[in-house]
Amino acid sequence: QVQLAEVGGGLVQTGGSLRLSCAASGRTFSSYAMAWFRQAPGKEREFVASISWSGGFTYSADFVKRRFTIARDNAKNTIYLQMNSLKPEDTAVYYCGAFLGNIVVAGPSRIDYWGQGTQVTVSS
């Protein structure tokens, strides 16, 4: 069992930056690959980025490459999403998730555990 809690969302202007954190509880955290998803109003939850259990491999959606960076610190049971050059279309609730297996995530059905989400709003 893994419990996840995201923090770090907020309101930021276009071009600004935010750093999201997702703290995990449970002894098996380091066994899980982790991912960030987001969901805008009226839209499906979409994949943002993922990271292997060791942190050695990452995978990102095309729309966030060179802007967002995923990282993890297994000693702190925490993953991060550094978001730079934010755009209004990045506005969404951001969720972290834990899963097993290949980090090339096809969709939310791969996720075994979800956090409650944190709101990110980018003003134009």
Side-chain angles (χ1 to χ4, degrees), residues 38-41 86-94 119-123:
R38 69 185 186 184
Q39 188 166 18
L86 283 162
K87 307 174 182 179
E89 52 264 43
D90 294 319
T91 295
V93 177
Y94 283 71
Q119 176 71 46
V120 171
T121 303
V122 184
S123 63

Side-chain angles (χ1 to χ4, degrees), residues 7-94:
V7 295
L11 174 64
V12 64
Q13 291 185 333
T14 297
S17 297
L18 281 174
R19 187 194 196 201
L20 307 183
S21 299
C22 172
S25 60
R27 294 182 298 170
T28 60
F29 168 74
S30 61
S31 300
Y32 283 84
M34 299 293 295
W36 288 98
F37 280 73
R38 69 185 186 184
Q39 188 166 18
K43 296 188 177 181
E44 295 184 349
R45 193 169 297 190
E46 66 177 348
F47 170 75
V48 176
S50 59
I51 188 165
S52 63
W53 66 270
S54 68
F57 298 95
T58 62
Y59 180 72
S60 300
D62 287 342
F63 61 82
V64 300
K65 286 180 179 176
R66 295 182 295 278
R67 297 193 301 128
F68 295 4
T69 302
I70 188 171
R72 71 188 292 163
D73 185 339
N74 284 344
K76 296 181 178 180
N77 278 12
T78 301
I79 69 165
Y80 307 95
L81 185 68
Q82 177 66 45
M83 304 187 294
N84 300 325
S85 302
L86 283 162
K87 307 174 182 179
E89 52 264 43
D90 294 319
T91 295
V93 177
Y94 283 71

